[in-house]
Amino acid sequence: MLTLENIRFCYKNSAAPIFDGLSLRAEKGSFVSIIGASGSGKTTLFRLLNGLEQPEEGRILIDGEPLSAHRQYASYMPQQDLLFPWLTVEKNVMLPMTVQKKPKEEAAAKARELLRQVGLEGWENRWPRELSGGMRQRVSFARTLCAGGDILLLDEPFSALDSITRIQLQEWLMDQWKQLNKTILFITHDVEEAIFLSQKILVLTGHPVTGLMEFTVPMPKERNREMLLLPETARLKEDLIALLRREAKAEGTEGAERIHDADEAGIDR
Ligand SMILES: Nc1ncnc2c1ncn2[C@@H]1O[C@H](COP(=O)(O)OP(=O)(O)OP(=O)(O)O)[C@@H](O)[C@H]1O
Ligand SMILES: [Mg+2]
């Protein structure tokens, strides 16, 4: 179980905090999506969870123990696929183990096993430039698994893909999740994607974010795309879109107020 308690966080070079009093819980083995306006702090939340940033106040706990007591608990898949063009597919996947100074043969064997698992057997010695966008994301996912964390932090992994590839990869990720027995936190801007994949959806609202709105997805673990048309699922989709619209509108107003305040104070923008 992952727990965040009353987190306050502010980037060093910034005046206003991103989070103030943020709390959340994710059950072990669950699939949780995180949505919110651009700039609301989704990636920052992941940076806190993988220890790249430290909260000013509050605690991050894994099964009741501080995050710092766990080694390599979370594995992060970044917003852009960061495959190194000068490394083969296999070497890209084994990179986290190379960095962890694991024996080369063990790392290569693990990478080959993971590539088989993501359906890319036979591609080990190819170059990233020879792959399609969807294949690159599967390699990137395999590399995230190679890091060995119990919790996978996936930051908009499918946002750059065309809609059919995206739907195929959503179904693929769903199957992976069922087999892997890992907790997945998944950032997306796509409400339907969040509903199709997750058991729980958290929405970041406000500046700073003081809390999360939580929605339970009314679909069983075994699901298919037709279930998105069920009345309760369609209702949830419309509710989430309305909420995000309100947030975007509030943000517009706040932004205008900030500009007005800056004008009043004679500050250059
Ligand atoms: N290293 C940094 N230093 C200072 N401010 C930062 C830094 N990284 C992000 N920010 C600011 O923190 C806020 C939240 O950024 P973050 O990247 O977490 O947003 P996001 O919700 O992931 O947005 P998007 O949907 O566009 O990816 C933004 O206002 C951003 O400008
Ligand atoms: Mg982001």
Side-chain angles (χ1 to χ4, degrees):
M1 160 99 78
L2 166 72
T3 322
L4 272 70
E5 289 177 355
N6 284 316
I7 298 294
R8 182 183 156 91
F9 175 76
C10 186
Y11 280 108
K12 283 196 178 55
N13 51 357
S14 149
I18 311 269
F19 303 126
D20 197 2
L22 175 80
S23 296
L24 79 79
R25 275 160 48 121
E27 309 291 330
K28 208 171 218 151
S30 63
F31 197 123
V32 177
S33 284
I34 296 158
I35 58 177
S38 184
S40 57
K42 302 179 297 295
T43 298
T44 304
L45 177 65
F46 277 9
R47 292 176 64 82
L48 286 163
L49 289 174
N50 64 13
L52 285 175
E53 306 285 352
Q54 305 297 326
E56 273 171 38
E57 287 172 23
R59 301 194 299 172
I60 302 178
L61 302 171
I62 313 292
D63 298 330
E65 287 181 7
L67 185 66
S68 53
H70 295 259
R71 279 197 69 228
Q72 196 53 54
Y73 183 77
S75 301
Y76 178 55
M77 179 169 164
Q79 223 160 330
Q80 322 78 6
D81 96 63
L82 295 176
L83 300 181
F84 292 110
W86 60 87
L87 292 178
T88 60
V89 165
E90 180 178 298
K91 291 226 158 52
N92 263 289
V93 172
M94 65 196 259
L95 199 63
M97 287 179 77
T98 313
V99 173
Q100 291 163 18
K101 304 224 174 353
K102 295 270 168 60
K104 223 173 172 177
E105 243 336 287
E106 185 190 331
K110 182 71 186 172
R112 284 194 294 274
E113 179 197 321
L114 288 169
L115 281 166
R116 198 162 46 245
Q117 188 180 322
V118 303
L120 289 173
E121 193 173 10
W123 290 82
E124 294 82 359
N125 296 319
R126 307 290 278 271
W127 302 97
R129 62 174 178 274
E130 298 178 281
L131 309 181
S132 69
M135 290 160 91
R136 291 172 68 97
Q137 288 309 84
R138 282 188 281 153
V139 173
S140 188
F141 184 77
R143 183 166 71 185
T144 309
L145 288 177
C146 192
D150 288 334
I151 172 166
L152 305 180
L153 307 173
L154 310 183
D155 195 345
E156 298 193 49
F158 305 148
S159 57
L161 303 172
D162 68 87
S163 60
I164 294 300
T165 307
R166 189 171 181 142
I167 286 170
Q168 285 167 341
L169 279 197
Q170 287 166 2
E171 287 165 352
W172 171 84
L173 179 62
M174 188 67 135
D175 285 340
Q176 294 285 314
W177 171 62
K178 285 181 201 154
Q179 291 166 30
L180 286 168
N181 196 24
K182 292 195 189 261
T183 311
I184 296 187
L185 299 192
F186 184 92
I187 293 176
T188 178
H189 277 114
D190 183 332
V191 168
E192 195 170 278
E193 178 169 90
I195 295 174
F196 177 64
L197 286 170
S198 30
Q199 297 170 303
K200 190 159 93 173
I201 299 176
L202 304 174
V203 189
L204 269 68
T205 58
H207 286 290
V209 177
T210 50
L212 292 164
M213 295 186 73
E214 187 175 321
F215 297 83
T216 302
V217 175
M219 288 198 281
K221 197 167 175 177
E222 291 302 324
R223 55 181 75 174
N224 55 51
R225 292 192 60 81
E226 270 88 83
M227 290 183 192
L228 290 169
L229 301 171
L230 293 171
E232 57 273 30
T233 328
R235 180 77 258 153
L236 174 62
K237 182 177 167 187
E238 290 312 313
D239 287 349
L240 287 170
I241 289 171
L243 175 62
L244 291 175
R245 250 188 226 265
R246 273 204 305 280
E247 272 301 300
K249 207 167 160 195
E251 186 141 314
T253 324
E254 270 178 36
E257 274 166 13
R258 280 198 293 272
I259 288 169
H260 177 74
D261 290 348
D263 280 340
E264 293 274 291
I267 295 169
D268 281 342
R269 302 193 302 271

